[in-house]
Amino acid sequence: MRKIFDITGKDREHFLQGLVTNDVRRLAEGPLYAALLTPQGKYLADFFLIARGETILLDIDATLAEATVARLNMYRLRAEVAITPSALSVFCGTGPAPEGAVTDPRHPAMGWRLYGAQAGDDGSDWDAIRVAHLIPATGIELTPETYILEAGFEPLHGVDFRKGCYVGQEVTARMKHKTELRKGLVRLAIEGAAPVGTPITAEGKGIGTLYTQSGGLALAHLRLEALGGPMQAGEAQLRATETITSP
């Protein structure tokens, strides 16, 4: 379930620009996918931002909405900005886009998003699409322990390295430019099944965690150095097919 908020006021763009991972000045070009991080660079929330006249829509998973809006308001200080529940809902799909729909900015396979009176989706198999295209989901692959570069935010167009400062920017930039990622989101071939959150082992040692599964494939977060050999998650047998730690 999603919740939509209206962000209004003359400082709305400048306010968001100093907080989120993407370049809010690009909203005139279309919707943005972005995240809010801790000062230590860890994930707090991911969301979409959409420009509609004098309003910026914030489209966020309902489970994160209250805490995220509270944190944004904490940063508001004297900025002329208001964040209020919107009268709009969002309807998502992957078929022919209806009039007024916007493209999901993460990946073309994720289809479109229509903001209006109707909520829900067209019945698309979102897990299959996400696994096939290595797209993490709120509350599953994206958790409070996530670093967004390890979750593939760069190829998903969710982070901009030229925009300047935002909360968590220093850590994120250092991971991009000064270190080699040792962990990341990986697509696996899976024989069998195991619950989301099952530890992954190789040669008896813990190397990561299993997440969404669909059609003989799965997403997992694990140590990249362990990709060469056989892996297990419970009774399931695993092998890596692709990582998304770089664009």
Side-chain angles (χ1 to χ4, degrees), residues 181-183 207 222-229:
L181 295 180
R182 297 181 179 180
K183 300 178 182 178
I207 59 169
L222 50 72
R223 296 206 309 266
L224 300 179
E225 63 185 18
L227 291 176

Side-chain angles (χ1 to χ4, degrees), residues 40-228:
Q40 295 74 35
K42 289 191 175 183
Y43 167 92
L44 284 171
D46 63 313
F47 40 79
F48 301 95
L49 298 171
I50 303 94
R52 287 175 68 102
E54 298 299 308
T55 299
I56 297 175
L57 301 182
L58 172 70
D59 170 356
I60 187 168
D61 188 279
T63 61
L64 300 180
E66 182 177 352
T68 301
V69 170
R71 183 168 287 260
L72 290 173
N73 278 320
M74 180 184 72
Y75 286 114
R76 188 163 54 87
L77 301 176
R78 297 180 181 178
E80 191 173 313
V81 174
I83 306 172
T84 56
S86 177
L88 300 174
S89 298
V90 61
F91 187 84
C92 306
T94 57
E99 183 178 355
V102 297
T103 301
D104 189 308
R106 293 172 294 178
H107 192 285
M110 292 299 288
W112 45 264
R113 309 178 75 82
L114 180 65
Y115 296 91
Q118 187 176 5
D121 63 55
D122 66 352
S124 294
D125 188 340
W126 300 107
D127 281 352
I129 295 169
R130 290 196 307 100
V131 171
H133 298 284
L134 305 114
I135 300 169
T138 305
I140 304 176
E141 292 81 19
L142 296 173
T143 75
E145 295 304 309
T146 300
Y147 290 103
I148 59 170
L149 296 191
E150 293 182 352
F153 259 63
E154 189 173 2
L156 296 177
H157 317 292
V159 58
D160 190 295
F161 292 101
R162 299 168 297 178
K163 62 165 285 185
C165 293
Y166 56 87
V167 178
Q169 181 266 344
E170 183 177 351
V171 174
T172 305
R174 189 184 308 126
M175 292 181 72
K176 166 68 174 176
H177 298 295
K178 295 185 178 181
T179 63
E180 182 177 350
L181 295 180
R182 297 181 179 180
K183 300 178 182 178
L185 194 65
V186 179
R187 184 173 62 196
L188 306 173
I190 182 168
E191 295 181 11
V196 167
T198 298
I200 299 173
T201 60
E203 298 181 347
K205 297 180 180 180
I207 59 169
T209 306
L210 182 69
Y211 292 111
T212 305
Q213 301 152 59
S214 180
L217 296 172
L219 296 180
H221 183 267
L222 50 72
R223 296 206 309 266
L224 300 179
E225 63 185 18
L227 291 176

Side-chain angles (χ1 to χ4, degrees), residues 16-27:
L16 290 170
Q17 183 72 352
L19 296 175
V20 307
T21 58
N22 218 327
D23 190 345
V24 181
R25 296 170 298 184
R26 294 175 46 236
L27 273 173

